[in-house]
Amino acid sequence: MAAEAFEDIVADFEFLDDWEDRYRYVIDRGRSMEALDDALKVPATKVDGCASQVWLHPKIEDGRFSFEGDSDAMIVRGLIAVLKALYNDMLVVEVTKVDAPAELARLGLNDHLSAQRSNGLRAMIERIRSVAAEAA
């Protein structure tokens, strides 16, 4: 059910030998992502439950879900980029059907993130799901 962009990440991960390379890959994805406009870094877009500062700005156009995001931590920016690959341009009604923990487990993220980062990732997923559920 994952988007093609996410499947590309899964394929890239298969070519990377160790977690350090995968970690750098995630960070590089975050670096290549456009920064969120400072005007959108407001309490309404801030995600609670993250160890670092995280903002997600969802958009729904023509029944499709997408979001922009940003963080003050490079690894979290990378995680946002991974979530964008998983969810962006998906039909709104499909967003809540994605088993994000299972999809992310394909990358081995569960085994290599700190408890705080894992909690933050769950908080981002919950924000995405709740916005999509409200719009569906």
Side-chain angles (χ1 to χ4, degrees):
M1 169 151 202
E4 184 177 332
F6 185 79
E7 293 300 335
D8 290 344
I9 292 172
V10 172
D12 289 346
F13 261 53
E14 290 175 3
F15 287 107
L16 300 172
D17 290 332
D18 62 26
W19 178 249
E20 289 298 317
D21 292 336
R22 292 175 178 187
Y23 195 79
R24 279 191 291 280
Y25 174 88
V26 170
I27 289 172
D28 287 344
R29 294 218 33 130
R31 280 192 181 120
S32 66
M33 189 174 68
E34 282 191 40
L36 185 65
D37 187 324
D38 284 342
L40 297 174
K41 294 179 180 178
V42 296
T45 62
K46 191 163 190 276
V47 178
D48 295 324
C50 299
S52 55
Q53 302 284 327
V54 177
W55 300 270
L56 298 181
H57 179 253
K59 297 182 281 186
I60 297 168
E61 295 175 2
D62 300 325
R64 296 205 167 268
F65 177 87
S66 65
F67 73 93
E68 299 172 302
D70 209 343
S71 175
D72 60 354
M74 289 311 295
I75 186 63
V76 178
R77 276 183 61 88
L79 294 173
I80 292 168
V82 169
L83 290 176
K84 285 177 69 168
L86 182 61
Y87 288 111
N88 272 6
D89 203 35
M90 185 174 280
L91 290 171
V92 173
V93 297
E94 297 296 320
V95 170
T96 58
K97 296 177 184 175
V98 173
D99 185 352
E103 294 296 340
L104 295 172
R106 294 170 58 201
L107 301 177
L109 291 175
N110 300 343
D111 300 330
H112 297 282
L113 294 177
S114 69
Q116 285 182 316
R117 294 280 185 244
S118 294
N119 288 340
L121 186 58
R122 277 192 296 277
M124 288 188 281
I125 292 165
E126 284 307 310
R127 172 69 64 90
I128 290 165
R129 291 175 56 85
S130 68
V131 168
E134 288 174 19

